Amino acid sequence: MTSQMTFLCRPVSPSGLSLLARSDRKACGACSTTKDLAAYLEHVDLTDLGTLCVTEGLVSFERGVECFINHGLTKACAMAWVYDGYKTSDACLGVCVRSRFIHEPNNGPPPLCELNDCLRCDEDEAGPIFKIFAARTRRRSGLLSKIARPCEQIVYGIEHNLC
């Protein structure tokens, strides 16, 4: 059985808070609203918040979604994050529990600064699907985080245009 999600890129609120803003040179998706951009700007590190909300989501999908909504994401984006967490939990549970248990830093030592095993697994297993449905990511939006990334993975010189 295959499921398909469709997102319309059109203004949905005259207040401008939920307008879809394409700022990543990709198609609009679940996290393309200006409200989601504002939440990404407010939360410099989404790793711990994601872990908290996905843990809630493992108890109840609705609780996970509500957790992300309470931190500023739209419902559609919150749902994408919970589904991303489900995929990560399914594919990476063992390495992520280990990473959390030993308090493994996000990155290894310079100059390579390689991702820890959990983040690498998440990036490889869940990341491609998340990028398709969410569209907006911190890197695609030119936003830095507490995870060191190669410069070529960060988009610079972005103009935030409404879809």
Side-chain angles (χ1 to χ4, degrees):
M1 184 171 132
T2 322
S3 64
Q4 188 174 20
M5 296 175 75
T6 304
F7 300 98
L8 299 175
C9 290
R10 62 180 174 80
V12 293
S13 167
S15 70
L17 288 178
S18 57
L19 293 175
L20 295 172
R22 195 178 108 214
S23 60
D24 56 18
R25 299 189 179 115
K26 302 288 180 186
C28 289
C31 298
S32 294
T33 70
T34 53
K35 182 174 181 177
D36 295 314
L37 175 60
Y40 280 22
L41 289 166
E42 180 182 344
H43 300 285
V44 177
D45 181 28
L46 291 170
T47 306
D48 290 337
L49 174 60
T51 300
L52 170 72
C53 293
V54 168
T55 301
E56 290 286 321
L58 293 173
V59 174
S60 155
F61 179 78
E62 291 78 19
R63 282 176 59 175
V65 170
E66 192 63 33
C67 179
F68 281 113
I69 289 171
N70 289 339
H71 288 91
L73 296 178
T74 60
K75 183 174 183 179
C77 187
M79 291 172 65
W81 274 86
V82 173
Y83 283 127
D84 179 73
Y86 284 177
K87 176 62 179 169
T88 301
S89 295
D90 183 52
C92 311
L93 184 63
V95 296
C96 288
V97 167
R98 180 190 166 278
S99 288
R100 295 295 281 189
F101 182 74
I102 65 170
H103 304 288
E104 189 174 34
N106 291 337
N107 298 90
L112 298 179
C113 302
E114 293 177 340
L115 295 176
N116 72 29
D117 292 340
C118 178
L119 292 175
R120 171 54 46 214
C121 185
D122 172 64
E123 183 101 355
D124 294 343
E125 298 294 330
I129 299 165
F130 182 78
K131 290 174 191 172
I132 290 169
F133 290 106
R136 178 182 308 287
T137 66
R138 295 184 63 79
R139 282 176 281 161
R140 286 181 174 177
S141 299
L143 303 174
L144 302 178
S145 72
K146 292 184 178 181
I147 302 170
R149 303 286 186 171
C151 292
E152 64 271 9
Q153 289 185 6
I154 309 292
V155 177
Y156 294 97
I158 294 175
E159 293 181 24
H160 296 279
N161 299 314
L162 297 180
C163 292

